Amino acid sequence: DAKTTQPTSMDCAEGRAANLPCNHSTISGNEYVYWYRQIHSQGPQYIIHGLKNNETNEMASLIITEDRKSSTLILPHATLRDTAVYYCIVRGGSNYKLTFGKGTLLTVNP
Amino acid sequence: EAQVTQNPRYLITVTGKKLTVTCSQNMNHEYMSWYRQDPGLGLRQIYYSMNVEVTDKGDVPEGYKVSRKEKRNFPLILESPSPNQTSLYFCASSPRTYSGANVLTFGAGSRLTVL
């Protein structure tokens, strides 16, 4: 699976959009981009995933660049409860295993 | 509610005393997996199972055993726990899909301390 690079930490004001970047320059054609988050030692929680097209669900939006070498997770209206470590993971379709990096600690401030 | 349930959530034990951490899912998922999480090392896969009676080693299988006799259950067994197995453990499951995208659902975690 392709390696990902994320900033170590980010801050966001409550009510603002949080934009979390991820670089995955070695991604291959059949690999998906997944985002999970972990709130203080709880089980990782699935947020969203995508292959080529931008995706949106009730939690977030995922913007993938046309060359697929980077992506951005967008939380449109961050709340204090969105404070968590966010993991960007690239994984091939036939591989069920998730390889977690260090992720980005997002702190939402009042 | 669709979920992965782990027990116990917290356990303090002593070196050498066999223990089992249970994991059960109610989503009829084929794939199940165990991870451990340690400070500075992140989440690492211990064992996984693609279906009943099919298990395989992950990245850090030493000191652990698993079994998959039923589809819903995937217990993690520590035959002779040691202090270096003090960790936060997560069980996860996923349906088997052929579209190329698989979403893992994680349990709430089991915090194990071995003295």
Side-chain angles (χ1 to χ4, degrees), chain B residues 70-109:
Chain B
E70 305 166 284
K71 197 173 189 179
R72 64 182 294 127
N73 296 322
F74 189 45
L76 179 69
I77 303 157
L78 286 73
E79 294 270 3
S80 183
S82 63
N84 64 12
Q85 292 178 297
T86 293
S87 187
L88 179 57
Y89 292 87
F90 292 103
C91 181
S93 72
S94 169
R96 187 165 202 167
T97 67
Y98 301 94
S99 66
N102 306 291
V103 174
L104 277 175
T105 300
F106 284 81

Side-chain angles (χ1 to χ4, degrees), chain A:
Chain A
D1 296 332
K3 182 178 168 59
T4 62
T5 304
Q6 300 177 251
T8 303
S9 63
M10 295 182 66
D11 286 308
C12 177
E14 189 177 19
R16 298 283 196 171
N19 297 277
L20 291 88
C22 179
N23 284 320
H24 32 79
S25 59
T26 61
I27 193 170
S28 60
N30 68 342
E31 289 182 318
Y32 285 76
V33 179
Y34 294 81
W35 284 84
Y36 283 75
R37 73 180 182 184
Q38 187 175 25
I39 299 171
H40 187 58
S41 297
Q42 295 179 21
Q45 177 190 23
Y46 165 78
I47 302 172
I48 199 167
H49 73 278
L51 183 63
K52 296 180 185 177
N53 301 319
N54 298 337
E55 302 287 346
T56 295
N57 63 21
E58 65 279 2
M59 287 184 69
S61 294
L62 174 60
I63 309 298
I64 302 175
T65 58
E66 195 168 337
D67 63 7
R68 303 212 318 129
K69 292 185 177 181
S70 66
S71 60
T72 300
L73 177 75
I74 301 172
L75 307 178
H77 305 288
T79 71
L80 299 179
R81 287 178 294 182
D82 291 322
T83 292
V85 177
Y86 288 77
Y87 298 99
C88 169
I89 300 166
V90 170
R91 190 180 76 179
S94 62
N95 183 2
Y96 287 73
K97 173 184 165 185
L98 289 177
T99 299
F100 288 83
K102 296 192 185 305
T104 297
L105 172 59
L106 173 70
T107 302
V108 180
N109 300 303

